[in-house]
Amino acid sequence: MSQKPQNVTDYPNNNTIFSVWKFKEGAEIKEAFEALCGLVKNLNSSFKVRVTEGPTSCILGISHDAWLKLGLPTPLPKELVPFKEIKGDKHTAVATDADLHLHLSAVNSAICYDMAMAISKVLLPVAECTDEVQGFKYWDGRAIIGFVDGTENPNGEDRNYFGIVGDSEPNYKGGSYLFVQKYIHFMKDWDNLSVEEQEKIMGRYKATDIEMEEHKKPSNAHTALTAIEDEDGNELKIIRANMPYANPSKGQAGTYFISYASTFSTTEKMLKNMFIGEPVGNYDRILDFSKAISGTLFFAPSLDILDDYSAE
C-alpha cells in the first residue's frame, strides 16, 4: 500500500488559516469525520487544478483523545499522547485540550477562506471551533518580531527524513507528529530593546539572518537552546511552518508555532530546553517577551489512512 503523506513538507505560504476544533459532548462524530476526510482529500486535489500560481494545501491533525473517540486503529502512533505542560521556574508551555487541527495554506487568502468555510459546514454540527488564527507572510519570511523565522528548517530530502514517519512505525508510515503553540509577543517591551539586545536574545543577526558566532552567542539565546543533537552528536531537526498573526487595533501580535516531525521527542526536547533551561534555569530569553497561550499535540496521518476513512 502507498503511504503518501499529507503536505507537511510544504514551505510556508503567503496566507494561512489555522483552526482548532473540539467535539461537542454526545455528538455523532463518526459520519462528520468520514465526510471531513473526504473533504480534505478533495480540497487538496481540486485546488491543484484550479490554482496554478502556487501551492495550496489542507492538512488534518488528530489528537490523542480524538483518536480514541473516533475509534481509530490501535495501538496509536507511539508518541501520540496528551501533551503535558512543561513548567520552568519562570515560564510555562501550557497544555490545551483539542480534538482536531486544520492547517490551510495558499498564495491567496480567498482560497483559505473557501477551504475554511467548506470545513466549517462539515464540523459545526458536531464540533466547536475553539481557536482560529489567520496567518500572513511578513516581509521576507520574518516573524512579527523582525527576525527571519524557520532558518534552521531542513531542506530538500531532509524535509522528508525529519518531517515524516518512516519504517520505525510501519502502521503509520507517511504520517507526521504535529505540535502547535500560539504565542503572544509583548511588542512594546521588545521594541524598546536595541537591535543588539534583540540579536543576543535570538542568537542571530537581524538584518542579515546570519547566525551569531559561537563565542558571541549567549548560552540562553533562542538558537542555542533549540539546536538539538542525538546521542551520537547528529543534529535533529523539525519542520517549522510558523506564521505571524496580528490584531493591530487591540495591540496584539504573535506567532503561531507549528511543527511537523517524524517523532515528537525532538520537539519536546526543544521545548524543555526553552522553558526549563539547559542547564536548568538557563531558559530561552525570548520567553521574557512572549507567552505561550496554547499547546496541543496532534498526528497528521498519511493520505492513505484518511482515504480509508473517507465517506467518498
Side-chain angles (χ1 to χ4, degrees):
M1 183 183 76
S2 143
Q3 292 168 316
K4 186 178 180 181
Q6 297 189 64
N7 298 332
V8 301
T9 59
D10 283 4
Y11 289 86
N13 216 321
N14 290 349
N15 295 280
T16 305
I17 292 179
F18 304 103
S19 62
V20 182
W21 295 81
K22 180 72 178 171
F23 290 130
K24 295 176 182 177
E25 196 70 35
E28 296 292 334
I29 60 177
K30 184 179 179 183
E31 186 175 339
F33 178 72
E34 290 173 350
L36 178 64
C37 289
L39 180 59
V40 169
K41 175 186 172 184
N42 186 280
L43 291 172
N44 282 295
S45 299
S46 173
F47 280 107
K48 283 183 181 178
V49 177
R50 291 177 57 193
V51 181
T52 57
E53 64 266 28
T56 296
S57 69
C58 169
I59 302 172
L60 171 63
I62 307 165
S63 74
H64 170 274
D65 289 356
W67 197 281
L68 298 179
K69 292 174 188 176
L70 290 163
L72 299 183
T74 55
L76 281 65
K78 64 182 181 181
E79 293 193 14
L80 180 59
V81 296
F83 176 64
K84 295 181 180 179
E85 72 171 24
I86 298 173
K87 190 172 183 62
D89 291 339
K90 188 172 182 182
H91 302 289
T92 300
V94 297
T96 47
D97 191 23
D99 288 319
L100 302 176
H101 185 278
L102 276 303
H103 175 189
L104 315 178
S105 176
V107 293
N108 188 320
S109 59
I111 301 169
C112 292
Y113 170 80
D114 280 356
M115 289 194 291
M117 287 299 292
I119 288 165
S120 295
K121 287 179 182 179
V122 171
L123 286 179
L124 279 173
V126 300
E128 176 188 2
C129 183
T130 57
D131 196 20
E132 185 174 78
V133 176
Q134 297 187 31
F136 58 91
K137 183 177 181 180
Y138 185 56
W139 296 112
D140 50 339
R142 294 177 185 266
I144 210 75
I145 58 174
F147 285 77
V148 175
D149 202 351
T151 300
E152 291 301 313
N153 271 345
N155 291 298
E157 285 302 311
D158 283 348
R159 290 179 77 79
N160 291 332
Y161 178 77
F162 288 112
I164 298 170
V165 173
D167 293 333
S168 62
E169 294 192 72
N171 290 339
Y172 297 107
K173 189 174 181 179
S176 186
Y177 290 92
L178 159 62
F179 181 73
V180 299
Q181 288 178 305
K182 184 179 179 181
Y183 283 89
I184 291 177
H185 299 313
F186 310 134
M187 294 302 297
K188 288 184 179 179
D189 294 338
W190 179 255
D191 289 339
N192 282 335
L193 298 176
S194 67
V195 170
E196 291 74 19
E197 289 174 306
Q198 292 179 357
E199 289 173 339
K200 287 180 180 180
I201 290 170
M202 298 303 295
R204 189 176 294 281
Y205 295 108
K206 192 171 187 177
T208 63
D209 189 42
I210 295 173
E211 191 161 348
M212 191 173 287
E213 299 87 342
E214 290 301 319
H215 68 279
K216 294 183 179 180
K217 183 193 300 183
S219 62
N220 60 357
H222 181 67
T223 56
L225 290 171
T226 55
I228 306 297
E229 295 181 346
D230 65 15
E231 296 175 353
D232 299 321
N234 300 308
E235 190 172 11
L236 300 174
K237 290 181 175 288
I238 59 176
I239 294 176
R240 297 171 177 85
N242 306 346
M243 294 292 278
Y245 71 91
N247 191 334
S249 64
K250 294 185 178 180
Q252 294 178 353
T255 297
Y256 197 91
F257 171 80
I258 176 168
S259 71
Y260 294 102
S262 57
T263 66
F264 176 59
S265 53
T266 300
T267 307
E268 187 177 37
K269 174 62 175 173
M270 291 181 181
L271 293 171
K272 288 180 177 178
N273 281 3
M274 288 176 63
F275 285 84
I276 297 175
E278 179 56 42
V280 173
N282 190 52
Y283 66 86
D284 191 335
R285 279 274 284 125
I286 191 62
L287 296 177
D288 287 338
F289 303 90
S290 312
K291 182 179 181 180
I293 59 173
S294 71
T296 315
L297 175 63
F298 303 88
F299 189 77
S302 69
L303 286 171
D304 303 275
I305 289 181
L306 294 186
D307 193 45
D308 288 342
Y309 287 93
S310 170
E312 293 187 348

